[in-house]
Amino acid sequence: MKNYTIAVIEGDGIGPEITAAGMQVLEAVGKKYGFGFTFNKVLAGGCAIDKVGVPLPEEAVHTCLESDSVLLGAVGGPKWDTLPGHLRPEKALLGIRKALELYANLRPARLLPELKGACPLREAVAEEGFDMVIVRELTGGMYFGESGRRFGLGGEEAFDTECYSVAEIERIGVIAFELARSRRKNLINIDKANVLESSRLWREVMHRLKERYPDVQYSDMLVDNAAMQLIRDPKQFDVVVTSNMFGDILSDEASQITGSIGLLPSASLGETKRGLYEPIHGSAPDIAGQDKANPIATVLSCAMMLRLSLDQPEAAQDIDDAVSRVLAKGCAPPTSPLPAKRPSPARK
Ligand code: IPM
Ligand code: MG
């Protein structure tokens, strides 16, 4: 019997609850389709800071590298907010992305028919629905550029730099074009080429690539306009490709208009089959341990893992269908149009 080794980073807050649900679903679907799992729990995030003093112990990276894939709950929480940058729980996530060279982050955002009532957009827009995937570059740009503090003429300064090489842009571009080709054949590149040199190179490379994909309808959009268009007319987006920083911001925006951030899965991929799969929501420390967390985003992340890393498309489809059936039964999250304030810090 085929057996997959999965590194499981429970992380902090609701992380342990939602990853438990994910493992349960994987076990169940494995039983049905004739494969098994060995889950190796990995200490990373705030809990690792508490236990061993660093967010990402060496052996955590090692266990992930030895696995067929990684399932991650969420990391972070107010408890660790005052630590210096290099010791924050978020460093665990950034470190794993970099160590595993997971440069392509796929974040699907789809308005499920059952959640139309929860969509905060105009009724007519919600009625039309939308189904898009954000392809976010994940191991470059401002997140990993040169940064620091120094003293300038005006006193203390801090800087973070955005740097992209042609090779980095090209490989994420190829992922996006290929994905667009497998969907509605529409790709929108989002950048800030009217201001940033890094965006101008990014756009040049995308334009070179588009010659290789004449069947994909390609266009460029400035990021400020994109932030507006997402709210005005989200159905115009099929596949979107963008940098690390812009993708971080736009994917939170896209998740909110699906009606529930608790439903959105994500996949982070590199050159090997191994991927990291995680819900896009944060650790929600305020509801941790109360059996209130919605595990659907994690369950759907497991489906993505089965499809994209483990070559088990039927089992993946089975999970997706089961989630749809649950939502159709009316087990959807509360449908108040918008909570007055975000219930918890959305932190991974
Ligand atoms: C995300 C998160 C992370 C990011 C943080 C927690 C480092 O916001 O996965 O979107 O900015 O990439
Ligand atoms: Mg984010």
Side-chain angles (χ1 to χ4, degrees), residues 2 19 38 43 48 57 87 98 101-102 135 140 156 161-162 190 198 202 208 257 271 277 296 300 309 329:
K2 178 91 192 136
T19 46
T38 304
L43 189 67
L87 277 181
K98 197 72 177 174
E101 291 181 83
L102 303 170
V135 178
E156 191 180 7
T161 44
E162 174 90 348
I190 296 178
S198 52
W202 180 283
R208 260 182 258 152
I257 59 172
E271 293 299 333
Y277 297 84
I296 289 182
L300 291 175
S309 287
K329 266 199 216 153

Side-chain angles (χ1 to χ4, degrees), residues 97 107 136 143 247-249 251-252 280 346 348:
R97 288 173 181 169
R107 298 193 161 184
R136 169 190 176 194
Y143 276 63
D248 179 45
I249 298 165
S251 60
D252 262 31
I280 85 149
K348 287 251 173 62

Side-chain angles (χ1 to χ4, degrees), residues 101-170:
E101 291 181 83
L102 303 170
Y103 62 85
N105 186 214
L106 310 188
R107 298 193 161 184
R110 184 158 60 106
L111 182 57
L112 299 167
E114 296 81 11
L115 286 183
K116 280 188 178 157
C119 173
L121 303 181
R122 278 181 297 131
E123 216 180 304
V125 177
E127 210 34 62
E128 290 170 340
F130 60 87
D131 178 354
M132 65 186 289
V133 181
I134 297 180
V135 178
R136 169 190 176 194
E137 200 289 327
L138 205 59
T139 50
M142 215 183 302
Y143 276 63
F144 294 95
E146 202 186 321
S147 72
R149 299 219 178 180
R150 64 188 170 204
F151 281 88
L153 290 179
E156 191 180 7
E157 300 172 345
F159 61 97
D160 299 276
T161 44
E162 174 90 348
C163 177
Y164 271 115
S165 69
V166 169
E168 282 176 313
I169 303 167
E170 217 169 61

